């Protein structure tokens, strides 16, 4: 395909190698953005970029660890523009109670979910402001809005991401950048629960047992793309999206 015009809006999506990140990249590309896919897994994002390019869409892959500030700064310096930043990189590790949780797991979740979001946001905020109509999206979780047993470390990390978004919105009001938080509930993707339970497929499957229709990555990506494509003066402060079967983090209808 020919190179995207210089006026094509650029959307950076972190954690784009699978799940919500990959689905969001697809939908933003289809909406007319030149998407820059970032993740640690080079092969995954390069394959997705090739898929989008072959479909006539504009995409590029850039391997990146969001917790590596020097790498993030170098990445930001190499962009010609940035109109949208989707902070999606994150994840959960373990489901142990606070009394026995591994501090290393807590530290890793905080580094990716909070510091990673901080790194990209700080590095790209000048370009987002220069665009004249920038959008920062923070993909948090309903875990960041209500605690649940066994979720302490993840809840703490997603609370951090939520507060980062809220504080940033207060601090940059009056600039041409809006801050959107999307907080998904139960989403069934190919990796989230399996990663959380360290490859235990049976334990991961139990999370969704009896739930007829948990959210899909596409469902969440659809809400992100909708928020991003609102007119620039419209800010979706917070969008909580759950499957119909989930009334709260601890109230889920299971069939059978």
């Amino acid at each position: 395909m020919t190179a995207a015009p210089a006026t094509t809006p650029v959307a950076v999506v972190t954690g784009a190698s699978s799940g919500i990140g990959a689905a969001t990249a697809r939908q933003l590309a289809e909406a007319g953005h030149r998407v820059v896919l970032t993740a640690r897994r080079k092969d995954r994002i390069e394959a997705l970029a090739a898929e989008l390019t072959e479909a006539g869409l504009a995409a590029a892959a850039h391997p990146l660890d969001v917790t590596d500030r020097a790498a993030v700064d170098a990445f930001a310096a190499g962009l010609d523009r940035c109109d949208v930043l989707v902070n999606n990189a994150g994840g959960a590790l373990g489901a142990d109670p606070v009394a026995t949780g591994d501090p290393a797991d807590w530290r890793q979740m905080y580094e990716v979910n909070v510091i990673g979001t901080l790194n990209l946001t700080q590095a790209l905020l000048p370009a987002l402001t220069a665009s004249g109509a920038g959008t920062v999206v923070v993909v948090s979780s309903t875990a960041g809005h209500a605690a649940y047993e066994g979720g302490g470390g993840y809840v703490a990390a997603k609370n951090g991401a939520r507060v980062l978004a809220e504080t940033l919105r207060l601090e940059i009001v009056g600039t041409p950048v809006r801050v959107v938080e999307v907080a998904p509930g139960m989403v069934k993707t190919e990796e989230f629960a399996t990663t959380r339970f360290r490859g235990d497929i049976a334990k991961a499957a139990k999370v969704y047992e009896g739930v007829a229709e948990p959210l899909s990555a596409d469902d969440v990506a659809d809400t992100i793309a909708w928020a991003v494509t609102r007119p620039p003066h419209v800010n979706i402060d917070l969008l909580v999206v759950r499957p119909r079967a989930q009334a709260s983090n601890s109230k889920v209808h299971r069939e059978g």
Side-chain angles (χ1 to χ4, degrees):
M1 60 169 285
T2 57
T7 55
T8 301
V10 172
V12 173
V13 182
T14 70
S17 59
S18 65
I20 294 170
T24 298
R26 287 191 179 94
Q27 293 204 25
L28 290 179
E30 289 166 0
H33 293 78
R34 174 160 58 96
V35 294
V36 181
L37 316 171
T38 74
R40 288 174 299 175
R41 292 181 291 185
K42 181 174 182 285
D43 58 333
R44 290 283 194 101
I45 56 174
E46 287 183 344
L48 178 54
E51 172 197 317
L52 294 173
T53 300
E54 287 166 11
L57 303 172
H62 193 294
L64 184 66
D65 178 350
V66 297
T67 67
D68 182 340
R69 184 54 186 258
V72 168
D73 287 342
F75 164 70
L79 288 178
D80 55 354
R81 67 181 288 171
C82 182
D83 302 82
V84 177
L85 167 62
V86 180
N87 286 299
N88 168 73
L93 289 173
D96 299 316
V98 172
T100 57
D102 186 343
D105 287 345
W106 283 57
R107 187 173 294 110
Q108 186 173 342
M109 285 186 281
Y110 190 85
E111 283 288 333
V112 177
N113 289 283
V114 184
I115 302 302
T117 296
L118 177 67
N119 284 341
L120 265 295
T121 302
Q122 287 183 337
L124 291 175
L125 196 55
L128 289 160
T129 304
S131 75
T135 302
V136 176
V137 178
V138 175
V139 182
S140 63
S141 167
T142 54
H145 294 263
Y148 60 92
E149 294 165 295
Y154 184 58
V155 168
K158 285 304 188 183
N159 257 290
R162 174 182 66 83
V163 171
L164 186 158
E166 288 185 348
T167 306
L168 178 65
R169 191 181 300 115
L170 292 171
E171 292 173 344
I172 65 171
V173 66
T175 73
V177 179
R178 57 188 175 176
V179 182
V180 176
E181 179 190 353
V182 176
M186 181 180 284
V187 186
K188 187 175 184 179
T189 64
E190 66 268 31
E191 294 185 330
F192 180 83
T194 304
T195 298
R196 182 171 202 169
F197 295 112
R198 307 179 201 285
D200 189 328
I201 295 173
K203 189 176 285 188
K206 202 163 184 63
V207 172
Y208 311 102
E209 192 172 71
V211 181
E213 293 180 291
L215 295 177
S216 68
D218 285 332
D219 292 328
V220 180
D222 186 52
T223 67
I224 294 170
W226 175 81
V228 167
T229 55
R230 294 312 86 205
H233 71 285
V234 177
N235 197 104
I236 309 301
D237 283 16
L238 170 64
L239 199 161
V240 176
V241 53
R242 305 182 195 264
R244 184 176 59 196
Q246 184 183 31
S248 74
N249 289 348
S250 57
K251 181 70 173 180
V252 180
H253 174 70
R254 300 181 189 270
E255 300 177 353

